[in-house]
Amino acid sequence: MDSSARLLRLLSLLQTPRDWTGTELADRLEVSTRTVRNDIERLRALVAKEYEAFTKAVADWTRIKEQWLEDKKRAVEVAREIQTEVAHYLLTISGMNAALGTLVAVALHFLGMPSPALWGAMVAILAFIPYLGATISTSVLTVVALLTFDDVAR
């Protein structure tokens, strides 16, 4: 029996629930007790090498997992920063649009336009639409003013 086959046979014998003496193993494998001792030492060396490889793999996996978690934490931080900045932007633009709507409503009130609060609210809402909102507001207010007043100069 070659040494690889003998090592496998020895390993299978050692995995049985029975406790084996060196002499019993030698008799079973038909080799000397010295050969059994040498084979056991070879098995220990192989197990130690495999254990070392396994330990390294676990350490590498742990390092990769920690790096992944750090990347994930950073992504969450960036998402929260973006969320905060967008909220600040929306709050600021809403305040500016509300102020614009209020100014338009006050100006239209002093010009004698009917329902100045309605037109001020329309301007404030349409101001959220870049370029097009201002164009629509100006056009609607111009048409309403032309229909409301008899004199263009007013």
Side-chain angles (χ1 to χ4, degrees):
M1 179 180 327
D2 68 336
S3 64
S4 297
R6 190 176 62 245
L7 283 176
L8 287 173
R9 177 87 170 112
L10 175 60
L11 189 57
S12 69
L13 287 172
L14 291 174
Q15 289 178 344
T16 60
R18 181 170 177 226
D19 288 334
W20 297 90
T21 65
T23 308
E24 290 173 328
L25 288 171
D27 290 343
R28 203 76 186 273
L29 296 171
E30 299 173 354
V31 294
S32 68
T33 55
R34 178 183 166 102
T35 303
V36 170
R37 260 186 259 126
N38 289 340
D39 287 348
I40 288 175
E41 286 305 317
R42 285 177 58 200
L43 282 175
R44 281 186 185 156
L46 287 171
V47 168
K49 189 184 286 186
E50 291 302 317
Y51 179 76
E52 182 181 332
F54 175 76
T55 306
K56 184 182 180 308
V58 168
D60 290 346
W61 180 81
T62 303
R63 182 182 46 78
I64 290 169
K65 181 180 172 190
E66 288 171 355
Q67 181 63 41
W68 177 77
L69 286 174
E70 288 300 318
D71 292 345
K72 189 174 180 180
K73 286 178 186 176
R74 180 65 186 138
V76 169
E77 288 174 9
V78 168
R80 285 189 179 145
E81 288 175 21
I82 290 170
Q83 181 182 13
T84 301
E85 293 302 319
V86 168
H88 287 151
Y89 169 76
L90 290 175
L91 183 63
T92 302
I93 201 77
S94 296
M96 291 170 54
N97 290 348
L100 175 65
T102 302
L103 289 175
V104 167
V106 168
L108 292 178
H109 172 72
F110 285 120
L111 290 173
M113 190 89 143
S115 305
L118 171 71
W119 304 120
M122 179 198 72
V123 168
I125 291 170
L126 289 175
F128 281 102
I129 305 170
Y131 306 111
L132 189 59
T135 304
I136 292 172
S137 295
T138 304
S139 301
V140 168
L141 288 176
T142 301
V143 169
V144 170
L146 288 173
L147 293 174
T148 302
F149 301 115
D150 297 334
D151 187 5
V152 175
R154 186 157 191 220

